[in-house]
Amino acid sequence: MFKKNNQIKDLNQQEISTIIGLGFTITGELKGKAVIRIDGTVIGNVNVEGGIVLGEKGMIKGDIQTDSAIIYGRVNGNVKALNLEIKKTGKVNGDIKTEAIEIEMGAQYNGKLEMHQSGKTEEKVAVKA
C-alpha cells in the first residue's frame, strides 16, 4: 500500500521553473504546468501539473492538485496527487487522495487518506477476482 515511486525521485531531478522564495507571500490561486518550488507562503489553491516541492519553511494554506509532490513544509488544505512524499519535517492538515504515498518517520499528517490505483490496474484486479 505504501510504496516509493520512481516518479517522486524524478521530481527531484527535474528542472524547477518557478521558485517562490522564503519571505514571500502569494495570495491567490497558482496554476501551471511545470515544477514549482515553494519556500515562502501561498494563501490559495495550488494546481500544478508538473509537480510541487514544498521546502521546509514553505507553507500552503489551500488545496493542492498535482502529479507529484514532495512536502518538507506545512500544508493546511487537501492534497490530491498521483504520487506524494511527506518528509520528516512535513506537516499535512487535510485529506489526501493519491495512488502512491511515502511518509517518513517524524512527518505529521492529520486527515483522511484515500488511495486508488489507476484504472488499468483496477481492471486487472477486477478480472482476476
Side-chain angles (χ1 to χ4, degrees):
M1 182 161 85
F2 300 103
K3 66 178 182 176
K4 183 141 183 128
N5 192 306
N6 288 336
Q7 287 184 321
I8 293 174
K9 285 184 181 179
D10 292 343
L11 181 60
N12 277 329
Q13 297 170 357
Q14 288 184 16
E15 182 178 334
I16 295 173
S17 68
T18 304
I19 298 175
I20 298 174
L22 184 62
F24 283 86
T25 299
I26 305 291
T27 302
E29 187 172 358
L30 290 179
K31 287 186 176 184
K33 293 187 184 262
V35 178
I36 185 171
R37 180 176 175 97
I38 300 171
D39 290 312
T41 301
V42 174
I43 302 171
N45 296 335
V46 180
N47 185 343
V48 179
E49 286 180 33
I52 297 170
V53 177
L54 182 63
E56 282 190 39
K57 304 279 185 185
M59 177 183 284
I60 297 174
K61 295 180 181 179
D63 295 341
I64 296 173
Q65 185 168 341
T66 187
D67 285 344
S68 297
I70 301 175
I71 308 294
Y72 292 93
R74 174 178 288 242
V75 177
N76 290 324
N78 299 326
V79 178
K80 184 176 181 182
L82 296 177
N83 302 291
L84 176 64
E85 187 173 341
I86 306 173
K87 296 296 192 176
K88 65 182 176 181
T89 57
K91 295 177 175 75
V92 176
N93 292 306
D95 295 340
I96 293 175
K97 288 185 180 181
T98 187
E99 289 185 13
I101 188 167
E102 180 179 332
I103 303 174
E104 282 188 353
M105 179 92 62
Q108 294 180 16
Y109 165 61
N110 297 299
K112 182 177 77 172
L113 175 62
E114 188 177 323
M115 292 186 70
H116 294 283
Q117 295 178 340
S118 65
K120 292 179 183 177
T121 306
E122 286 177 358
E123 288 173 12
K124 289 179 187 175
V125 171
V127 171
K128 290 181 180 179

